[in-house]
Amino acid sequence: MQLLKERIQREGKVLPGNIIKVDGFLNHRVDIRLMEGIAKEFENLFDVKSITMVLTAEASGIALATICAQRYGVPMVFAKKAKSDNIEGGLYQSEIYSYTYKKKITQILSREWLTSHDRVLIIDDFMANGEAVRGLCDLVSQAGAELVGVGIAIEKGFQGGGDRLRGMGVNYHALAVIEHAEPGNITFRDEE
Amino acid sequence: MQLLKERIQREGKVLPGNIIKVDGFLNHRVDIRLMEGIAKEFENLFDVKSITMVLTAEASGIALATICAQRYGVPMVFAKKAKSDNIEGGLYQSEIYSYTYKKKITQILSREWLTSHDRVLIIDDFMANGEAVRGLCDLVSQAGAELVGVGIAIEKGFQGGGDRLRGMGVNYHALAVIEHAEPGNITFRDEE
């Protein structure tokens, strides 16, 4: 997606540790018009007419997933990080490793809001090692629901998460795959 | 807001510890059409034409804040819980106590995305003790920005957070103020 790549080139910053900071438009301050453009782009890549829900993980995926769910006319569900006492029993759980927080995290999702009848589009803002999305796929599988696809705004192509999903045959699309990043020089993988 | 109160009456569950569970439409599975209705309602209560941003706290406020920001044509910014290494220096910080997680949490917000020129509408899905919103107000104050108002979908009126803001003269509105909650019986405060 050309517009997204231009925003990354213009406003993205590369920090030590291969961190790519896009917090001016994606995951701290969110440009809603850009999210609308991304949601429209996913519409060309996934069979959104057939889905029953958009699923994401808290926190930064929620804004994009909300705009996608709005456009496709379905509810948005987000998996939570465990330890809140606001969720009673009847949960799906998946264990993931958060490279951001440098610890294991348990994703939880109420069995009430994901069942074997659901057709799920997973949406997230960012894909690096892919742990968050791996956990979400696991939740979908536990529910016996159908995974229609996985849509990501920005993938760090050099960290393997996206390629692992492609290798598994998941209907996976990222709109901007960063192949290489150093300060002042961000390059993208050629279009699929 | 009648529609919201009806949803709470019909789908809300009261759990031990005065927890009111509305996770089927507000903060786990999110009904986007309802969020649009709430955003429209806030438009009648706040001078949204004058704001430069919608501010919320991660995680569950993000969906509603996104739909509000979309409607008012401004960016949505969310304060993060500290400990991520994705945010470099130059932060506003506020300390709050999370009753959900039973520990102190530091909210952080990049100085890049909130300045003294901003006119801020704070939006959150839920108000109980009001710690999250107190922290957000503190961030706005640190920036020297102007607080236009605070809009909340559901307030637990008996936990004091909303009344404290009203007492401080903040332009505060909650669309459903729960006065009393026990299993099978949720009652609301009369309209302002």
Side-chain angles (χ1 to χ4, degrees):
Chain A
M1 182 182 173
Q2 195 52 35
L3 185 64
L4 178 60
K5 290 179 184 173
E6 285 168 11
R7 290 295 289 273
I8 297 167
Q9 292 275 16
R10 200 165 62 231
E11 299 173 38
K13 284 174 206 153
V14 181
L15 307 184
N18 272 321
I19 291 169
I20 298 162
K21 200 174 159 234
V22 286
D23 72 349
F25 57 92
L26 187 67
N27 52 21
H28 189 19
R29 180 172 70 170
V30 180
D31 178 337
I32 309 294
R33 295 291 166 263
L34 181 64
M35 298 306 107
E36 290 172 341
I38 292 172
K40 191 173 172 187
E41 196 82 8
F42 284 144
E43 202 170 341
N44 300 326
L45 296 168
F46 300 106
D47 179 19
V48 300
K49 294 244 185 314
S50 78
I51 65 173
T52 60
M53 60 189 280
V54 168
L55 177 66
T56 193
E58 71 174 28
S60 65
I62 294 175
L64 175 58
T66 295
I67 297 295
C68 289
Q70 179 188 43
R71 185 172 179 95
Y72 314 147
V74 294
M76 186 278 292
V77 177
F78 61 95
K80 301 192 175 194
K81 294 165 188 163
K83 285 269 173 70
S84 158
D85 56 4
N86 274 1
I87 294 191
E88 52 188 344
L91 301 171
Y92 305 111
Q93 299 190 22
S94 63
E95 304 288 329
I96 60 169
Y97 182 79
S98 167
Y99 290 87
T100 307
Y101 289 91
K102 294 185 178 50
K103 63 175 182 185
K104 274 193 196 166
I105 285 178
T106 303
Q107 289 177 330
I108 54 179
L109 182 62
S110 170
R111 288 171 184 265
E112 282 188 272
W113 314 130
L114 177 63
T115 75
S116 60
H117 301 297
D118 279 308
R119 294 177 48 83
V120 181
L121 177 62
I122 293 174
I123 295 288
D124 211 353
D125 59 330
F126 220 90
M127 162 75 69
N129 306 89
E131 280 290 286
V133 167
R134 183 181 64 71
L136 293 175
C137 291
D138 190 29
L139 297 172
V140 171
S141 166
Q142 286 176 45
E146 185 170 344
L147 180 63
V148 173
V150 177
I152 302 289
I154 303 177
E155 176 189 334
K156 292 161 86 176
F158 52 88
Q159 289 191 336
D163 288 335
R164 196 162 50 240
L165 285 173
R166 291 182 186 93
M168 289 164 59
V170 172
N171 183 17
Y172 170 89
H173 295 282
L175 301 186
V177 182
I178 296 174
E179 200 60 281
H180 184 79
E182 57 188 52
N185 181 20
I186 296 176
T187 56
F188 298 97
R189 193 182 290 186
D190 288 341
E191 295 291 331
E192 297 168 10
Chain B
M1 182 183 176
Q2 196 51 35
L3 184 64
L4 178 59
K5 290 178 185 173
E6 285 168 13
R7 290 295 291 272
I8 297 167
Q9 292 275 17
R10 200 165 63 233
E11 299 173 37
K13 285 174 205 151
V14 182
L15 305 185
N18 272 322
I19 291 170
I20 297 161
K21 202 176 158 232
V22 286
D23 71 349
F25 58 91
L26 188 67
N27 52 19
H28 189 18
R29 180 172 70 169
V30 180
D31 178 336
I32 309 293
R33 294 293 166 262
L34 180 64
M35 299 306 106
E36 290 173 341
I38 292 172
K40 193 174 172 185
E41 196 82 9
F42 284 144
E43 201 169 340
N44 301 325
L45 296 168
F46 300 105
D47 180 20
V48 299
K49 293 242 185 317
S50 77
I51 66 173
T52 59
M53 60 189 281
V54 168
L55 177 66
T56 192
E58 72 175 23
S60 64
I62 295 175
L64 175 58
T66 295
I67 297 296
C68 289
Q70 179 188 45
R71 185 172 178 96
Y72 314 147
V74 294
M76 186 277 292
V77 178
F78 60 96
K80 302 192 176 197
K81 295 166 188 162
K83 285 270 170 73
S84 158
D85 57 4
N86 274 2
I87 294 190
E88 53 189 343
L91 301 170
Y92 305 112
Q93 299 190 23
S94 63
E95 303 290 328
I96 61 169
Y97 182 79
S98 167
Y99 290 86
T100 307
Y101 290 91
K102 296 185 177 47
K103 63 176 182 183
K104 273 193 196 165
I105 284 179
T106 303
Q107 289 178 330
I108 53 178
L109 182 62
S110 170
R111 288 172 184 264
E112 280 188 273
W113 314 131
L114 176 62
T115 75
S116 60
H117 302 296
D118 279 308
R119 292 177 49 83
V120 181
L121 177 61
I122 292 174
I123 294 288
D124 211 354
D125 59 331
F126 220 89
M127 162 74 70
N129 307 87
E131 281 290 286
V133 166
R134 184 182 64 72
L136 293 175
C137 290
D138 189 29
L139 296 172
V140 172
S141 165
Q142 287 176 44
E146 184 169 344
L147 180 63
V148 172
V150 176
I152 302 289
I154 303 177
E155 176 189 335
K156 291 161 87 175
F158 52 88
Q159 290 193 335
D163 288 335
R164 196 160 53 239
L165 286 173
R166 290 182 186 94
M168 290 164 57
V170 171
N171 184 17
Y172 171 87
H173 295 281
L175 301 186
V177 182
I178 296 174
E179 201 59 281
H180 184 80
E182 56 188 51
N185 182 20
I186 297 175
T187 56
F188 297 97
R189 193 181 292 186
D190 288 341
E191 295 289 332
E192 297 168 10

